[in-house]
Amino acid sequence: MPEGSKFVGSTIQGTNLREQDINVLTLYRGAKVIPNPKAERVLEPNDKLLCFGKLESMRGMVPAKTRRRRNPEITDLPSDVKPSV
């Protein structure tokens, strides 16, 4: 749960994941692992949920990843190198 997520501050039951056929199996909070969390558990920023359900239903929960493109550094070959044939 990134900070500012619509799920932060609500309970697992309040997220209505159950109605979307998504089961929360494990809650990761810092160094703590909470298996089979209760529905009354309030979600906090930086929580991670391990869920089981239909992929189409869960896609909306995953934040868009910001990808960093690799920019390889290109250098010229030394002039004394002869190409091999």
Side-chain angles (χ1 to χ4, degrees), residues 38-62:
K38 294 183 180 180
E40 297 83 32
R41 175 109 24 205
V42 177
L43 298 174
E44 297 176 1
N46 301 319
D47 281 353
K48 294 179 184 175
L49 299 176
L50 175 65
C51 299
F52 177 80
K54 293 185 179 181
L55 183 61
E56 293 83 28
S57 301
M58 291 190 288
R59 278 195 201 274
M61 293 175 52
V62 179

Side-chain angles (χ1 to χ4, degrees), residues 6 9 14 16 20 46 51 60 62 75 82 84:
K6 64 180 180 178
N16 295 326
Q20 299 174 27
N46 301 319
C51 299
V62 179
T75 58
K82 295 181 182 176
S84 60

